[in-house]
């Protein structure tokens, strides 16, 4: 019998190629559910956020072994400033909690850290901490960890548009040359590969202003686990869901044939 490739409906295991068995290179996570995790235990939300830092450590440790090379996590959104002052102040203390515990290890293990979002608006000590994490890991290239902190997808797009407009007004940029590639170069995510997989634990099913531009062809996976309970098995399950998807990037699958469209 002549060999033939499987149609997408016949696949129990995804075939190689687009949508094939490879792991997502760039995974982005909305670390959600800290408050509910704490509430369920009768604890203050603060302790949920602290447990969230432990989940971040576990996830960063597990990601390279699962084939991930870029991991981007949502640590604080431009909208999170509207939370009660005491909670904002706890959230602002999380980078210190994380990097005090783990920066040496990240440095040693070849992880390059990059902070995404607006430095403006953050306290000088938080900016100094993010700068230090970037500086100390700048020579690393085994794994890339992006921490989105004071980040909003819309704010990032608006900031990029303003920078391009300023460059055009000063004659440094020809407006006619602005295309998707040039525009992406103005975002705080410039140089990163597009997100392959965006994961949101906690049962919520929305992006909440995370990576709006970069999510164009990302697969979205929503999981019921609350972020502080997230672990290697949770990430492996999200990746398995990704691997079962057919990624077509705007092309069309006509029976067995991938047609660019
Ligand atoms: C959302 O949960 C979570 C956050 C706003 C903070 C997440 C940040 C971390 C886990 C660590 C950050 C670490 C670094 C290095 C920046 P929520 O409070 O909205 O939970 P809820 O929806 O259950 O109330």
């Amino acid at each position: 019998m002549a060999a033939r490739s499987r149609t997408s409906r016949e696949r129990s295991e995804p075939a190689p190629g687009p949508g094939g068995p490879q792991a997502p290179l760039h995974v982005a996570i909305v670390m959600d559910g800290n408050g509910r995790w704490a509430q369920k235990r009768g604890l203050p939300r603060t302790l949920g956020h602290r447990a969230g830092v432990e989940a971040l450590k576990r996830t960063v440790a597990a990601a390279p072994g699962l084939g991930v090379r870029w991991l981007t996590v949502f640590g604080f959104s431009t909208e999170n400033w509207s939370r009660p002052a005491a909670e904002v102040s706890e959230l602002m203390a999380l980078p210190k909690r994380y990097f005090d515990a783990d920066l040496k290890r990240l440095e040693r293990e070849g992880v390059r850290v990059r902070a995404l979002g607006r430095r403006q608006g953050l306290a000088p000590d938080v900016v100094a901490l993010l700068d230090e994490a970037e500086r100390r890991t700048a020579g690393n290239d085994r794994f890339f960890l992006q921490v989105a902190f004071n980040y909003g997808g819309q704010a990032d797009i608006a900031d990029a548009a303003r920078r391009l407009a300023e460059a055009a007004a000063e004659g440094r940029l020809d407006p006619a040359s602005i295309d998707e590639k040039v525009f992406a170069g103005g975002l705080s995510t410039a140089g990163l590969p597009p997100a392959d997989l965006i994961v949101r634990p906690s049962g919520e099913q929305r992006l909440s202003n995370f990576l709006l531009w970069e999510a164009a062809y990302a697969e979205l996976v929503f999981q019921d686990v609350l972020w502080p309970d997230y672990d290697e098995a949770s990430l492996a399950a999200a990746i398995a869901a990704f691997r079962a998807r057919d990624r077509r990037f705007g092309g069309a699958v006509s029976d067995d044939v991938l047609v660019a469209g």
Side-chain angles (χ1 to χ4, degrees), residues 31-37 39 45 48-49 51-53 56 73-77 80 83 87 91 94-96 98-99 147-149 200 202 204 226-227:
M31 303 184 287
D32 193 20
N34 297 347
R36 277 164 286 166
W37 183 92
Q39 255 164 358
R45 294 173 60 83
H49 294 312
V53 171
L56 177 59
V73 293
F74 206 178
F76 187 87
S77 82
N80 286 153
R83 294 193 177 199
E87 183 167 352
L91 291 169
L94 296 182
K96 180 163 168 50
Y98 176 61
F99 289 124
V147 177
F149 204 76
R200 183 167 190 156
S202 94
E204 307 290 354
L226 299 172
W227 175 250

Side-chain angles (χ1 to χ4, degrees), residues 99-174:
F99 289 124
D100 276 359
D102 258 19
L103 184 56
K104 267 207 185 82
R105 177 146 48 118
L106 298 172
E107 208 178 347
R108 198 176 55 236
E109 292 182 355
V111 178
R112 181 167 188 173
V113 176
R114 175 165 161 188
L116 308 178
R118 289 178 173 163
R119 297 289 213 274
Q120 195 190 12
L122 294 173
D125 61 322
V126 177
V127 173
L129 195 73
L130 297 175
D131 286 347
E132 188 195 350
E134 286 190 343
R135 186 178 44 74
R136 278 175 52 184
T137 61
N140 287 345
D141 62 2
R142 193 179 77 84
F143 185 79
F144 301 89
L145 173 65
Q146 293 66 237
V147 177
F149 204 76
N150 197 24
Y151 172 89
Q154 292 180 338
D156 214 41
I157 290 169
D159 289 350
R162 189 180 335 98
R163 278 193 283 271
L164 292 177
E166 282 164 3
E170 290 164 12
R172 291 183 283 115
L173 178 73
D174 175 5

